[in-house]
Amino acid sequence: MKETFGEYIKMLRTTNGYTLTQLAGLLDIDFANLSRIENGIRDFDKKKLSRLAEVFNLSIEALQDEYASDQLAKHMYEIGCSKELLKVAEEKAEYRRALKK
Amino acid sequence: MKETFGEYIKMLRTTNGYTLTQLAGLLDIDFANLSRIENGIRDFDKKKLSRLAEVFNLSIEALQDEYASDQLAKHMYEIGCSKELLKVAEEKAEYRRALKK
DNA sequence: TTCATTTTGTCATTCTTTGACAAATTTACT
DNA sequence: AGTAAATTTGTCAAAGAATGACAAAATGAA
């Protein structure tokens, strides 16, 4: 999925005909902050992913992957991550995995 | 460089014959916390990268890349980032870049 | 054993994130 | 235009995470 997690939530919300207030109620968060989440100003609370999956009948695993990849993309974007830097990071992640074992 | 940033600092420190106390003094941080940094328990403070570059006569740009790739690797490691997830994240980072323009 | 060095424990301080509610703005409808 | 619903933005206190600081314990080398 090529969109931010906030945009994804907004898509889910609107295609299912919910207002911010309604969905915020279901997720037990403030509707004003849900607006910020949709607009990328704040992050969605990880601990509420299962609730979100329930509300929209989504696979929790798939949703967690959506979330994790979005967070990683955000990180890459923020550091202005080049192809080369990403390659180095990949190797280093691999090194960390090897370390643990 | 295939090592954590902490291990990198430790290597620099020992090959240059510094003790934790000595290097911590040069970097103006607590030596106990420098120990934790070397052992990956705490993160090196980004704002001190220029000082670190000076102390060991390193290119600040190269050092910043070392740091950024380490942080990204840590992130990838922590989420148990698969190849597929990384690919998705890359696309999403690209999407974010496109958004900004 | 003794001294230097490193690691670990703990906690107060600082910084960042989140929750909450008000106010302002936008949108859609008549 | 008016107005009601929906969304966005402003602000700030509370919660949580990161950092600084110093003591104490462990390790190592002579």
Side-chain angles (χ1 to χ4, degrees), chain B residues 40-75:
Chain B
I41 295 158
R42 288 199 187 191
D43 282 341
F44 185 79
D45 181 1
K46 205 177 180 169
K47 286 172 287 187
K48 296 243 157 90
L49 281 176
S50 55
R51 198 58 155 317
L52 186 62
E54 279 168 24
V55 169
F56 293 111
N57 239 298
L58 304 165
S59 145
I60 177 67
E61 293 82 12
L63 199 57
Q64 281 168 338
D65 277 2
E66 267 307 306
Y67 184 80
S69 61
D70 180 71
Q71 288 293 113
L72 196 54
K74 186 181 166 198
H75 188 165

Side-chain angles (χ1 to χ4, degrees), chain A residues 6-89:
Chain A
E7 288 170 344
Y8 178 50
I9 292 177
K10 183 167 200 165
M11 182 275 285
L12 288 170
R13 177 175 66 79
T14 54
T15 60
N16 286 83
Y18 290 128
T19 65
L20 281 172
T21 305
Q22 289 171 328
L23 179 56
L26 292 170
L27 296 173
D28 193 34
I29 62 177
D30 186 87
F31 75 94
N33 292 329
L34 178 54
S35 167
R36 280 182 258 252
I37 289 167
E38 289 187 350
N39 292 302
I41 296 158
R42 287 199 189 192
D43 282 341
F44 184 79
D45 182 2
K46 206 177 181 169
K47 287 172 287 189
K48 297 244 156 91
L49 281 175
S50 54
R51 198 56 156 314
L52 186 62
E54 280 168 24
V55 170
F56 292 112
N57 240 295
L58 303 166
S59 146
I60 176 66
E61 292 82 13
L63 198 57
Q64 281 167 340
D65 276 3
E66 267 307 307
Y67 184 80
S69 61
D70 180 71
Q71 288 292 113
L72 196 55
K74 187 181 166 199
H75 187 164
M76 292 194 278
Y77 172 72
E78 282 168 354
I79 65 174
C81 185
S82 69
K83 285 264 178 203
E84 298 81 49
L85 197 139
L86 181 59
K87 194 139 188 60
V88 174

